[in-house]
């Protein structure tokens, strides 16, 4: 594994019109580019992950796994705005001051435009497989539209062509949690951290669903007659209560509220049709063979969003997987995802005039 920092002094003009005079990206490569240059896999991570897919997608990436470095040259970049090595809110601006709340807004389109010089540095002319879930899938779609000849296969998972009002509502509620933290306006790396804990707990409600909590966080006893109140409270805390608090605390140990805040804004402005004729026309520019994957229990990115994507990409099909874990299934159901990849790569994907039914 090779984790590196890509630095450029080139000007990057963001969709907002802001011009960044240089930036840096953390990225990980696994394996070696072959002599034909046809073994590249570009993996796009989701909201709070890093550039090492062996850590957050171990069921699919690593020695002996489907994305085996012995076979593929695997690239993953930490998205701008994150806190895992790429340019982010806790970095310094060109005046030597930490950005904090003044970090420039990166859209998903800005992100993939930031990756293009890195691709050139790595001498990548063609990407055999592009794959990503959630916000990673949003970036993948943007790049496949921006450079239609770059990808041979794309696998957008549990994602959408534009972020829905439902998704924006969840993200806004999370940012409101951060804003309600009395420390948020401070210029301090720990500002808003308790608000972010609440934001993460809110996010989990959209990443999972009713059945997830019913099966994994069951409250064992709610007999109020003759039950000691302290014992009852402790019983409740052993279930969903403690789980929500634990997840907030867990994220606070590895992330910061600034990155969480700005990345969620980047997701909210995702729309492949912006500045183009339409969303449909934008998707129709994609030349890659596409297998669009949805999750039947996903309440945040419901399958109709992936069906829409598949319907508007010329060479595409749609498949859905089942998961107890809702949206988070794209991180956990690696056996199902691997099976779909195996069935797709090396076989013909039918030209799509109608979306295939859910399996």
């Amino acid at each position: 594994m090779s984790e590196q920092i890509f630095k450029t002094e080139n000007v990057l003009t963001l969709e907002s019109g802001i011009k960044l005079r240089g930036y840096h990206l953390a990225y990980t490569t696994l394996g070696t580019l072959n002599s034909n240059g046809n073994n590249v896999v570009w993996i796009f991570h989701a909201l709070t992950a890093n550039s090492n897919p062996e850590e957050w997608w171990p069921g699919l990436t690593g020695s002996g796994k489907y994305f085996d470095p012995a076979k593929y040259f695997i690239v993953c970049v930490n998205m701008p705005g994150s806190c895992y090595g790429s340019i982010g809110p806790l970095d310094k601006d060109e005046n030597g001051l930490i950005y904090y709340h003044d970090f420039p807004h990166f859209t998903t389109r800005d992100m993939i435009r930031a990756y293009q010089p890195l691709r050139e540095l790595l001498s990548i002319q063609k990407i055999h497989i592009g794959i990503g879930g959630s916000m990673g899938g949003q970036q993948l779609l943007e790049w496949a539209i921006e450079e239609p000849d770059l990808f041979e296969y794309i696998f957008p998972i549990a994602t959408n062509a534009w972020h829905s009002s439902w998704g924006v509502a969840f993200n806004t509620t999370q940012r409101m949690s951060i804003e309600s933290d009395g420390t948020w306006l401070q210029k301090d790396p720990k500002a808003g951290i308790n608000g972010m804990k609440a934001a993460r707990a809110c996010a989990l409600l959209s990443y999972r669903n009713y059945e997830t909590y019913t099966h994994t966080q069951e409250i064992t006893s709610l007999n109020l007659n003759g039950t000691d109140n302290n014992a009852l409270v402790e019983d409740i805390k052993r279930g969903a209560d403690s789980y929500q608090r634990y997840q907030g605390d867990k994220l606070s140990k590895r992330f910061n509220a600034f990155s969480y805040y700005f990345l969620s804004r980047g997701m909210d402005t995702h729309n492949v049709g912006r500045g183009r004729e339409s969303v449909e026309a934008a998707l129709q520019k994609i030349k890659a063979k596409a297998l669009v994957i949805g999750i039947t229990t996903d309440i945040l990115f419901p399958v109709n969003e992936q069906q829409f994507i598949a319907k508007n990409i010329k060479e595409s099909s749609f498949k859905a997987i089942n998961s107890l874990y809702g949206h988070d299934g794209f991180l956990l159901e690696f056996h199902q995802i691997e099976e779909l990849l195996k069935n797709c790569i090396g076989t013909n994907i039918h030209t799509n005039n109608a979306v295939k039914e859910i399996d």
Side-chain angles (χ1 to χ4, degrees), residues 30-31 60-74:
L30 304 165
L60 281 170
T61 310
S63 179
K65 304 299 173 58
Y66 186 79
F67 294 126
D68 191 333
K71 179 180 180 181
Y72 293 114
F73 180 54
I74 303 161

Side-chain angles (χ1 to χ4, degrees), residues 1-2 5 9 32 42 46 48 62-63 97 128 199 231 235 305 345:
M1 179 184 72
S2 177
I5 300 294
E9 299 302 319
T32 305
W42 200 296
T48 64
S63 179
L97 301 175
H128 179 51
D235 184 43
E305 295 192 324
I345 299 295

Side-chain angles (χ1 to χ4, degrees), residues 38-324:
N38 61 359
N39 68 331
V40 177
V41 173
W42 200 296
I43 297 176
F44 299 80
H45 73 76
L47 187 70
T48 64
N50 58 28
S51 69
N52 183 6
E54 285 188 308
E55 288 186 8
W56 53 266
W57 228 6
L60 281 170
T61 310
S63 179
K65 304 299 173 58
Y66 186 79
F67 294 126
D68 191 333
K71 179 180 180 181
Y72 293 114
F73 180 54
I74 303 161
V75 183
C76 183
V77 185
N78 181 225
M79 69 177 82
S82 183
C83 58
Y84 289 115
S86 291
I87 181 172
L90 299 185
D91 286 321
K92 293 181 180 180
D93 62 19
E94 57 187 48
N95 297 315
L97 301 175
I98 298 176
Y99 284 112
Y100 289 121
H101 308 83
D102 296 322
F103 185 68
H105 176 67
F106 273 81
T107 66
T108 49
R109 194 175 302 172
D110 291 327
M111 292 176 184
I112 64 98
R113 287 174 176 171
Y115 305 159
Q116 289 168 337
L118 172 61
R119 174 185 68 78
E120 294 172 0
L121 178 72
L122 294 174
S123 300
I124 295 172
Q125 303 300 318
K126 188 80 173 179
I127 296 175
H128 179 51
I129 296 172
I131 187 168
S134 195
M135 193 173 182
Q138 293 176 339
Q139 295 171 75
L140 171 58
L141 289 173
E142 279 287 0
W143 206 351
I145 293 166
E146 191 97 337
E147 295 190 70
D149 295 317
L150 181 60
F151 294 89
E152 184 177 359
Y153 292 94
I154 62 169
F155 297 94
I157 309 172
T159 194
N160 50 24
W162 73 92
H163 208 48
S164 67
S165 296
W166 175 245
V168 171
F170 267 109
N171 284 343
T172 301
T173 303
Q174 292 171 60
R175 289 194 296 273
M176 288 171 64
S177 297
I178 293 173
E179 292 164 355
S180 67
D181 185 322
T183 68
W184 170 238
L185 295 181
Q186 297 176 9
K187 292 186 175 182
D188 184 287
K190 292 294 183 181
I193 201 70
N194 285 325
M196 189 190 74
K197 293 178 183 180
R200 183 63 164 183
C202 173
L204 277 171
L205 301 179
S206 65
Y207 298 160
R208 308 295 173 86
N209 57 48
Y210 180 94
E211 293 300 325
T212 312
Y213 282 83
T214 298
H215 286 83
T216 65
Q217 306 300 328
E218 183 179 3
I219 298 173
T220 58
S221 174
L222 278 179
N223 181 9
L224 301 182
N225 296 322
T227 302
D228 177 79
N229 186 62
N230 290 330
L232 178 62
V233 169
E234 288 304 310
D235 184 43
I236 294 173
K237 284 185 176 180
R238 281 194 293 272
D241 182 297
S242 63
Y243 181 73
Q244 294 299 96
R245 297 176 189 278
Y246 164 75
Q247 290 294 342
D249 288 338
K250 182 181 177 182
L251 184 67
S252 71
K253 291 178 173 62
R254 67 176 181 87
F255 223 71
N256 68 72
F258 293 98
S259 286
Y260 200 94
Y261 194 94
F262 283 102
L263 288 176
S264 74
R265 284 185 60 198
M267 180 183 286
D268 284 356
T269 55
H270 169 67
N271 187 330
V272 300
R274 184 175 52 252
R276 298 167 177 144
E277 181 183 341
S278 66
V279 173
E280 292 87 347
L283 290 172
Q284 288 162 15
K285 291 182 178 181
I286 294 175
K287 294 182 180 179
K289 300 177 181 67
L291 175 61
V292 187
I293 302 172
I295 303 170
T296 57
T297 54
D298 190 344
I299 64 171
L300 183 58
F301 291 76
V303 293
N304 64 286
E305 295 192 324
Q306 294 89 58
Q307 289 173 323
F308 175 86
I309 294 169
K311 183 177 181 179
N312 286 285
I313 296 176
K314 294 176 182 178
E315 290 192 81
S316 66
S317 60
F318 166 79
K319 293 287 184 179
I321 62 175
N322 296 308
S323 177
L324 175 63

